[in-house]
Amino acid sequence: MYKVNEIFETIQGEGNYTGTPAIFLRLQGCPVGCSWCDTKHTWDIQPDLLIQLGDTTQKKADSDHWAQADAQAILALFQQRAYRAKHVVITGGEPCMYDLNPLCELLHQQGFSTQIETSGTFEILAPLQTWVTVSPKVNMKGGYEVLRSCLERANEIKHPVAMEKHVQELEQLLIGLDCQNKLIYLQPISQKAKATQLAIEACMAHNWRLSVQVHKYLGIN
């Protein structure tokens, strides 16, 4: 069973799949504690805030209400809503708190591609064909370490940056990691000009890529 905060269809605004129509499945629950998190309403699982799965598609603002559903129910909701996107982004919260194999395998059988966006602090339980985006969260309030196994599994590593120490954190994480088949992104926190310039300079210096959260510039979800 998965605890679902919201489901919506939009354009992926980050990383390799930027510009791709996608169904976002946001799961509830995250103990990592990132200070700049823009989805803090997904952190806690409060039993008295349980709602029906269909209501997760009707949210007009951030809410910590959540629904519980299995993979079949989630797929059925996609079909009921007649979503046209064939790429599913599983995010959170921290989606890797859950075993994502049953959900992803079912979606693949129905012709969807899947992507996970994770902090890299929980083991990734998902099929090999699932695209894994690790946005490593280092020295956060929750005290969780970024797992080497997550970095190794990642198809892309997308690191949030606001200051030079964040670039240095990524440099340390990549030591000894085979990045030949991985995409490495820097993503400025909160689209601030100083962070963006730092990210650009670091990308040029290391031959990394820049991710700029296109959806926020466009003013869409």
Side-chain angles (χ1 to χ4, degrees):
M1 300 294 285
Y2 301 99
K3 293 176 172 58
V4 180
N5 177 273
E6 64 177 333
I7 297 173
F8 59 96
E9 190 176 40
T10 187
I11 296 292
Q12 169 64 287
E14 303 178 4
N16 179 67
Y17 280 96
T18 294
T20 302
I23 302 167
F24 273 72
L25 171 61
R26 188 179 304 284
L27 300 182
Q28 190 78 11
C30 182
V32 179
C34 304
S35 59
W36 64 80
C37 178
D38 56 5
T39 57
K40 291 183 179 180
H41 58 284
T42 67
W43 287 8
D44 299 322
I45 300 171
Q46 301 182 48
D48 59 329
L49 297 180
L50 182 66
I51 58 176
Q52 296 297 313
L53 181 63
D55 293 338
T56 65
T57 67
Q58 306 299 320
K59 291 187 176 184
K60 304 299 182 183
D62 292 344
S63 164
D64 49 4
H65 288 78
W66 57 277
Q68 187 156 281
D70 61 13
Q72 289 285 354
I74 291 169
L75 173 62
L77 183 62
F78 290 178
Q79 296 168 336
Q80 178 186 340
R81 293 290 186 266
Y83 290 142
R84 290 174 290 181
K86 300 300 289 184
H87 184 65
V88 179
V89 180
I90 306 170
T91 185
E94 174 45 70
C96 290
M97 291 173 61
Y98 301 88
D99 182 352
L100 299 173
N101 278 296
L103 175 60
C104 291
E105 288 170 355
L106 178 63
L107 292 172
H108 295 164
Q109 291 168 10
Q110 297 298 316
F112 292 92
S113 58
T114 58
Q115 176 183 1
I116 298 168
E117 296 183 343
T118 175
S119 63
T121 57
F122 287 78
E123 292 290 348
I124 298 167
L125 303 176
L128 288 177
Q129 61 264 50
T130 295
W131 182 271
V132 174
T133 302
V134 173
S135 182
K137 301 303 190 293
V138 181
N139 296 327
M140 294 297 138
K141 182 179 179 180
Y144 289 81
E145 294 185 6
V146 176
L147 303 179
R148 193 69 176 180
S149 61
C150 292
L151 296 174
E152 292 170 348
R153 172 64 178 84
N155 298 100
E156 65 180 357
I157 296 172
K158 179 166 56 67
H159 194 55
V161 294
M163 56 189 72
E164 184 63 37
K165 76 170 186 177
H166 299 139
V167 178
Q168 295 169 357
E169 287 171 354
L170 181 57
E171 291 172 340
Q172 289 297 311
L173 288 173
L174 296 181
I175 292 176
L177 187 69
D178 182 1
C179 296
Q180 184 175 354
N181 297 313
K182 299 184 190 301
L183 303 178
I184 310 298
Y185 287 89
L186 289 183
Q187 184 163 286
I189 295 174
S190 301
Q191 300 82 49
K192 293 183 179 179
K194 185 176 180 180
T196 301
Q197 185 59 39
L198 171 63
I200 291 171
E201 293 172 356
C203 286
M204 295 296 293
H206 293 83
N207 201 28
W208 295 336
R209 300 186 179 197
L210 182 70
S211 176
V212 293
Q213 294 187 292
V214 168
H215 57 292
K216 292 189 177 180
Y217 287 98
L218 295 176
I220 62 175
N221 286 338

